[in-house]
Amino acid sequence: MTTPAQGLHSHVLAALGLAITAGEYPPGTVLRTDELAQRFDVSRTVVREVVRVLESMHLVESRRRVGVTVLPTARWNVYDPQVIRWRLAGADRPRQLRSLTVLRSAVEPVAAGLAALNATPEQCRELTEQALGMVATSRGRRLEEYLVHDIAFHRVVLSASGNEMFARLGDVVAEVLTGRTHHHVMFEDPDPAAVTLHVQVAEAVRERDAARAEELTRRIAVGALQELDVLAP
Amino acid sequence: MTTPAQGLHSHVLAALGLAITAGEYPPGTVLRTDELAQRFDVSRTVVREVVRVLESMHLVESRRRVGVTVLPTARWNVYDPQVIRWRLAGADRPRQLRSLTVLRSAVEPVAAGLAALNATPEQCRELTEQALGMVATSRGRRLEEYLVHDIAFHRVVLSASGNEMFARLGDVVAEVLTGRTHHHVMFEDPDPAAVTLHVQVAEAVRERDAARAEELTRRIAVGALQELDVLAP
DNA sequence: CGGAAATTAAAAGTACGACTTTTATGTCAC
DNA sequence: GTGACATAAAAGTCGTACTTTTAATTTCCG
C-alpha cells in the first residue's frame, strides 16, 4: 500500500519524503542525486525535481560539492499538508497527533467565535446539518460515517470564521480526525458529551453568540486533548 | 530591489511566485513551460523545477496537454513562509497582516500558557532579557532595535511552549512584526502599555503562572489587533 | 614545521535535444 | 447529435555534455 504513483515524480517524492520524515535518514545525512537516481531507477532530472520540492519544504538542503543534506526536524515546514500526512503515516504519529491537537485547541475556539459573527445563513444551515448527522451516526459502530460529518463540521466552522489562515487549517483538522479515528481501536462510539457540544456550537453560531460558540468549542478541544491523554503515552 | 538570486532557479522562482501571489496571473491563467523558459531566458529544465516547487505550494497545477494553470487563492499553502513573504511584499499586505494577526491572537496566548509550564531556566532568562531590551529601546525613535527584541521575545515564547507547531510560527510572527513596523510610518514609539505587558509576561512565565501568562499575552494580541484597526481600512 | 596559496576533483547546476505519454479537441461516420 | 477515431499540443522523461561552485588536498614559501 504505497502511493498511487501516477508519474515517476510523485512516486519518488513520496518515497523520499516518507523516509526522511520517518527519520530513516537522520539529520546531517548526505544523499547524492546520482545515487538516488540509480536507487529509484529514474533519471537525474526526476530526482532533481524531487529534491527541489523537498528543499522547498525545508526537509533537505542541497549544496554544491556536498550533496543533499537532510535538515533537522526544527527546520521542517510542519504546516505543509504533505509533510503532515507523511508524519502521521510514520512512526511518531502519537506525538504528531498531540501537537496538532494542541494547535486545534488554540485555533478552533477563536475560529468558532468569529464564525458566530460572520457565518452566512447557508453556512449556519450546513453546520446544523452536519451536527445532526453526527448525532444520527453517533451510535452503533458507525464511526466512518460519523467521521465524515465531524470533518465537515469543523471545516465549515474554520471556513465560516472568515479568516483565511483558519480556513486553510481545514485540511489539517481533517488529517487529525482521520488519524485519530483510524488509530483508536474503533470499537466504541464517540463520546456523547462531544456530540452534544457540537450541536450546541451550531446553535450558538446560528444565534450569533460568539462567546458561547467559543467556550463550547473550547470544551470540545479540551475533551479531545483529554481523550488523547487517556489513549496515548 | 529583487532577490539576491544566487542561482537561476531562485531567481525565476522568486519572479514567478511573486507575480502569482500578487495576482498578476488570475486563477485559471495558463502558462506554458517553453514560453516561460523563453521569457526568463533559462532552460526548460530550470523552469520545470520551479514549476514543481510552485506546484508543491499549490500555487499552480501542471497538467499534460494543458499547461501550468494558476490555482485560486483558496488552494494556496498560505502557511508556507515563502508564500507569506511574497504576499506581504505584494498588494494586499494589509489584508494579509490582519489575517496573520488574528492567527497570532489565537495561538500566542495558548503558547504563553504552555511556556509558563515548560520553559527552561535559560528560556526564562532569555525572555526577561528581551523584555528588558524592549523597555530600553521603547523610547527615542529606536523602532528597529525594538523590533529585534520584540521578535526574539515572541520567538522564545513560541519555542518555550514545547509545541512544535507553535514553535514553527516564530518565522510567521517575525514576518508580521517586521511588516507591521516597516509599514506604519514609524514616527511614534511603541505603545508603552504593550511594553509593560511583555515584561509582565516574562514575569508570569518565570513564576510558572500559566493563566496569567495566557491572559497577559491575550491582551498584547488584542492590542495588536486594535492597532491594526486604527491604522488600516 | 606551519600556514597560506594554488590545484584538484567531486557534486550540483544548467543546457539541449530526442523521445514518450497523456489528453483536449477536432473530425468523420452513423 | 452522438460516439468512435485521429490529431496534435503540451508536459513528462531521459541521456549526455558542459559549467560552476567549493571542500579538500597538495604545494610552496617563511
Side-chain angles (χ1 to χ4, degrees), chain A:
Chain A
M1 196 224 123
T2 49
T3 313
Q6 25 127 0
L8 296 181
H9 178 82
S10 7
H11 180 245
V12 175
L13 180 63
L16 260 183
L18 212 50
I20 292 174
T21 54
E24 219 163 293
Y25 304 99
T29 305
V30 175
L31 309 166
R32 264 159 300 115
T33 52
D34 300 317
E35 184 203 323
L36 292 173
Q38 207 174 334
R39 171 129 57 95
F40 290 105
D41 192 35
V42 295
S43 69
R44 202 162 69 96
T45 311
V46 170
V47 172
R48 292 196 88 275
E49 288 173 9
V50 167
V51 167
R52 278 265 137 91
V53 171
L54 256 23
E55 211 174 4
S56 90
M57 297 169 174
H58 290 97
L59 293 186
V60 303
E61 188 180 54
S62 177
R63 287 176 59 198
R64 270 173 156 136
R65 168 67 212 234
V66 173
V68 178
T69 314
V70 176
L71 294 176
T73 319
R75 300 276 317 268
W76 298 354
N77 252 350
V78 286
Y79 284 89
D80 189 311
Q82 184 64 95
V83 174
I84 292 177
R85 229 164 293 136
W86 286 334
R87 297 187 77 190
L88 282 177
D92 62 0
R93 195 213 306 242
R95 247 179 63 80
Q96 182 70 359
L97 271 181
R98 169 167 314 256
S99 64
L100 288 172
T101 304
V102 171
L103 175 68
R104 285 186 60 198
S105 77
V107 167
E108 293 205 74
V110 176
L114 286 173
L117 302 178
N118 300 324
T120 66
E122 169 60 19
Q123 286 169 325
C124 290
R125 198 195 55 68
E126 174 80 6
L127 216 51
T128 307
E129 186 178 309
Q130 298 301 338
L132 291 182
M134 291 175 73
V135 172
T137 56
S138 65
R139 295 176 154 277
R141 308 279 193 286
R142 300 170 68 185
L143 277 183
E144 280 302 330
E145 295 167 81
Y146 179 84
L147 176 62
V148 172
H149 293 294
D150 199 4
I151 289 176
F153 181 92
H154 289 277
R155 261 193 210 286
V156 175
V157 170
L158 289 166
S159 166
S161 73
N163 184 295
E164 184 184 36
M165 303 302 289
F166 289 167
R168 289 301 291 161
L169 281 178
D171 290 342
V172 174
V173 172
E175 296 289 348
V176 173
L177 294 177
T178 305
R180 201 179 61 171
T181 302
H182 292 171
H183 192 227
H184 300 6
V185 253
M186 267 176 72
F187 265 166
E188 310 169 39
D189 289 332
D191 177 14
V195 179
T196 308
L197 282 169
H198 281 79
V199 175
Q200 289 175 315
V201 168
E203 268 175 31
V205 170
R206 207 168 46 232
E207 292 165 6
R208 301 266 174 251
D209 189 339
R212 183 148 173 269
E214 179 168 343
E215 174 54 28
L216 289 167
T217 305
R218 206 172 297 277
R219 278 193 232 162
I220 294 178
V222 170
L225 273 172
Q226 286 175 340
E227 199 173 328
L228 218 55
D229 282 329
V230 174
L231 293 158

Side-chain angles (χ1 to χ4, degrees), chain B:
Chain B
M1 197 227 124
T2 47
T3 314
Q6 27 127 358
L8 297 181
H9 178 82
S10 7
H11 180 247
V12 176
L13 180 62
L16 260 183
L18 212 50
I20 292 174
T21 53
E24 220 163 291
Y25 304 100
T29 305
V30 174
L31 309 166
R32 264 157 302 119
T33 51
D34 299 318
E35 183 203 325
L36 292 173
Q38 208 172 334
R39 171 130 57 95
F40 290 105
D41 193 35
V42 295
S43 69
R44 203 161 70 95
T45 312
V46 170
V47 172
R48 292 196 87 275
E49 288 174 9
V50 167
V51 167
R52 278 265 137 91
V53 171
L54 256 24
E55 210 174 5
S56 91
M57 297 169 173
H58 289 96
L59 294 185
V60 302
E61 188 181 53
S62 177
R63 288 177 58 197
R64 270 172 157 139
R65 168 65 212 234
V66 173
V68 178
T69 314
V70 177
L71 295 176
T73 319
R75 300 278 315 268
W76 298 355
N77 252 350
V78 287
Y79 284 89
D80 189 311
Q82 184 64 95
V83 173
I84 291 178
R85 228 165 292 135
W86 286 334
R87 297 186 77 190
L88 283 177
D92 63 359
R93 196 217 300 249
R95 246 179 63 80
Q96 182 70 1
L97 271 181
R98 169 165 316 257
S99 64
L100 288 172
T101 304
V102 171
L103 175 68
R104 283 187 61 200
S105 78
V107 167
E108 293 204 75
V110 176
L114 286 174
L117 301 177
N118 300 324
T120 66
E122 169 60 20
Q123 286 169 325
C124 290
R125 200 195 55 68
E126 174 80 5
L127 216 52
T128 306
E129 187 177 309
Q130 297 302 339
L132 292 182
M134 291 175 72
V135 172
T137 56
S138 65
R139 295 175 155 275
R141 308 280 193 284
R142 302 170 66 185
L143 277 183
E144 279 302 330
E145 295 167 82
Y146 179 83
L147 177 62
V148 173
H149 292 295
D150 199 4
I151 289 176
F153 181 91
H154 289 278
R155 260 192 210 287
V156 175
V157 170
L158 289 166
S159 166
S161 73
N163 183 295
E164 183 184 35
M165 303 302 290
F166 289 167
R168 288 301 291 159
L169 280 177
D171 291 342
V172 173
V173 171
E175 297 287 350
V176 172
L177 294 177
T178 305
R180 200 179 63 171
T181 303
H182 292 170
H183 193 226
H184 299 7
V185 254
M186 265 176 70
F187 265 167
E188 310 168 40
D189 288 332
D191 178 15
V195 178
T196 307
L197 282 169
H198 281 80
V199 175
Q200 290 175 315
V201 168
E203 268 175 32
V205 169
R206 207 170 45 232
E207 292 164 7
R208 302 267 175 250
D209 190 338
R212 180 147 175 270
E214 178 168 345
E215 175 53 29
L216 290 167
T217 304
R218 205 172 297 277
R219 278 193 232 162
I220 295 178
V222 170
L225 272 172
Q226 286 174 340
E227 200 175 328
L228 218 54
D229 282 330
V230 174
L231 293 158

